Amino acid sequence: MAGLEGVEQPRHGGDRTATRLTPAVEDEQARGVLELFGNPTEGEVRLPSRPESALAARRLTHIVVLRQWALTPLMAEQSVLLVSELVGNAVRHTGARVFGLRMLRRRGWIRIEVRDPSRGLPCLLPVRDLDTSGRGLFLVDKLSDRWGVDLLPRGKTTWFEMRVSDRHP
């Protein structure tokens, strides 16, 4: 529906609505999140440990990977998904007031970290076809090139890394 980008559109088969945003609107919203919380490539960004903070973390990840680092849309999509999983674990399982998000790029790699004050370690559980939850670390394990947890004196950092091509077409 031309001319209705950014306007809630009804979904067929239910009373939920979906919002379609143009890339320009998405970029503007992401820039607003950068201004509000800071740039996770310049230092750790602290976000309130609430479910709605996952949206801010996804927007930050999207704008950094796609616009600032100029990586592929697929890399941005996968990074956003994995950040969402790590943030979800930090919010759901740690009881923290805040969590930290940091993004690093070095030649051939990106690294994204989520820090929280809990020293409880996440567990990669086996996933069965009919499971409706518990797939977060499974996705991190399958989509990232490597991931892990660094214990800190007060808490931990859960991270993933993905290989990237430094060559531009």
Side-chain angles (χ1 to χ4, degrees), residues 17-39:
T17 58
T19 302
R20 293 184 184 187
L21 301 174
T22 64
V25 171
E26 286 178 345
D27 284 351
E28 188 58 35
Q29 289 177 342
R31 277 191 281 279
V33 172
L34 276 172
E35 289 175 14
L36 183 62
F37 294 106
N39 188 331

Side-chain angles (χ1 to χ4, degrees), residues 64-84:
V64 167
V65 173
L66 194 61
R67 301 290 184 240
Q68 188 173 335
W69 289 344
L71 298 175
T72 67
L74 178 61
M75 179 69 66
E77 181 181 331
Q78 290 177 342
S79 298
V80 165
L81 173 62
L82 300 186
V83 161
S84 192

Side-chain angles (χ1 to χ4, degrees), residues 147-163:
W147 71 276
V149 180
D150 297 332
L151 284 176
L152 305 170
R154 292 188 177 171
K156 69 179 173 298
T157 299
T158 308
W159 54 268
F160 67 87
E161 294 181 336
M162 298 171 80
R163 292 179 202 265

Side-chain angles (χ1 to χ4, degrees), residues 21 58 90 92 129 141 151 157:
L21 301 174
R58 287 191 299 267
R92 241 180 267 114
D129 289 343
D141 187 59
L151 284 176
T157 299

Side-chain angles (χ1 to χ4, degrees), residues 111-156:
R111 178 181 174 112
I112 301 180
E113 304 174 344
V114 174
R115 187 185 57 79
D116 65 68
S118 168
R119 288 181 54 88
L121 297 176
C123 294
L124 176 61
L125 301 171
V127 176
R128 295 181 302 254
D129 289 343
L130 299 178
D131 289 346
T132 57
S133 65
R135 295 180 185 267
L137 285 179
F138 175 80
L139 289 171
V140 172
D141 187 59
K142 293 299 176 196
L143 294 176
S144 69
D145 289 293
R146 52 187 179 214
W147 71 276
V149 180
D150 297 332
L151 284 176
L152 305 170
R154 292 188 177 171
K156 69 179 173 298

